[in-house]
Amino acid sequence: MSISLAAARKLCTKPEFNLVQHGTKQGMKQLTPARLRQKVTRARTLREKYRDLTKQQRGEARGKRQAKGARPAQSSDNTRKKAEIFDELLSRFQQQLELVEASQQEGQAQSAAAHAKTARPTDRAKRRKKKHESTEAIRHQKAMKRASEQKIHGHVSSAGRRNQARRDSR
């Protein structure tokens, strides 16, 4: 990292520093692809937050923006450093995610090829037949449900019409 962990510890809150720790080589080895995606999202959110805050504080320090608080910001140095931390962290997480997903796809392709060689043709045919039967059963259930809903709706509207006809005839 361009900024040391000790400096990051001073600048970041506890949850932010926890994210920074996951960005180290040791921390990234322990993350699954799903957790890496979460970390990418969190790092991107924090990077955007601190970029926007840096811009706001820089404007306040120059006197070109209204102060958000009781007094205008004097400088945006620490906020800018935090934005740099999370920008670098985001790129690290993205690179690791790309590596993990590429290796995962290679592994899936190899296991699928190995499985295709060992699977007997009759097993595949049985699986296809089961899948076809299950989709047919689901399709039939949905059709029956739609038909029963139409019947109920038809009944309800007819009942309303009959009641209105009785009231009109009085």
Side-chain angles (χ1 to χ4, degrees), residues 107-125:
Q108 287 176 352
Q110 288 174 353
S111 67
H115 181 69
K117 288 180 183 178
T118 59
R120 294 180 304 192
T122 55
D123 290 344
R124 281 189 231 135

Side-chain angles (χ1 to χ4, degrees), residues 1-12 17 20-21 23-24 77-89 92:
M1 268 188 183
S2 62
I3 298 177
S4 68
L5 282 176
R9 181 177 287 130
K10 289 179 184 177
L11 291 173
C12 296
F17 186 67
V20 171
Q21 285 178 320
T24 62
D77 293 339
N78 288 340
T79 310
R80 183 183 42 77
K81 287 178 186 175
K82 283 177 91 168
E84 289 173 10
I85 289 171
F86 292 113
D87 187 39
E88 184 178 335
L89 198 58
R92 283 179 177 222

Side-chain angles (χ1 to χ4, degrees), residues 6 19 37 59 67 78 109 130-131 133 142:
L19 184 69
R37 282 186 212 96
N78 288 340
K130 271 188 181 177
K131 185 176 180 180
E133 288 172 356
K142 286 181 180 178

Side-chain angles (χ1 to χ4, degrees), residues 99-141:
L99 289 172
V100 169
E101 286 178 339
S103 66
Q104 196 175 41
Q105 286 177 353
E106 272 183 27
Q108 287 176 352
Q110 288 174 353
S111 67
H115 181 69
K117 288 180 183 178
T118 59
R120 294 180 304 192
T122 55
D123 290 344
R124 281 189 231 135
K126 285 179 185 177
R127 273 188 258 124
R128 280 193 200 121
K129 187 175 179 183
K130 271 188 181 177
K131 185 176 180 180
H132 179 69
E133 288 172 356
S134 66
T135 55
E136 283 296 317
I138 292 170
R139 196 175 301 134
H140 179 70
Q141 287 173 348

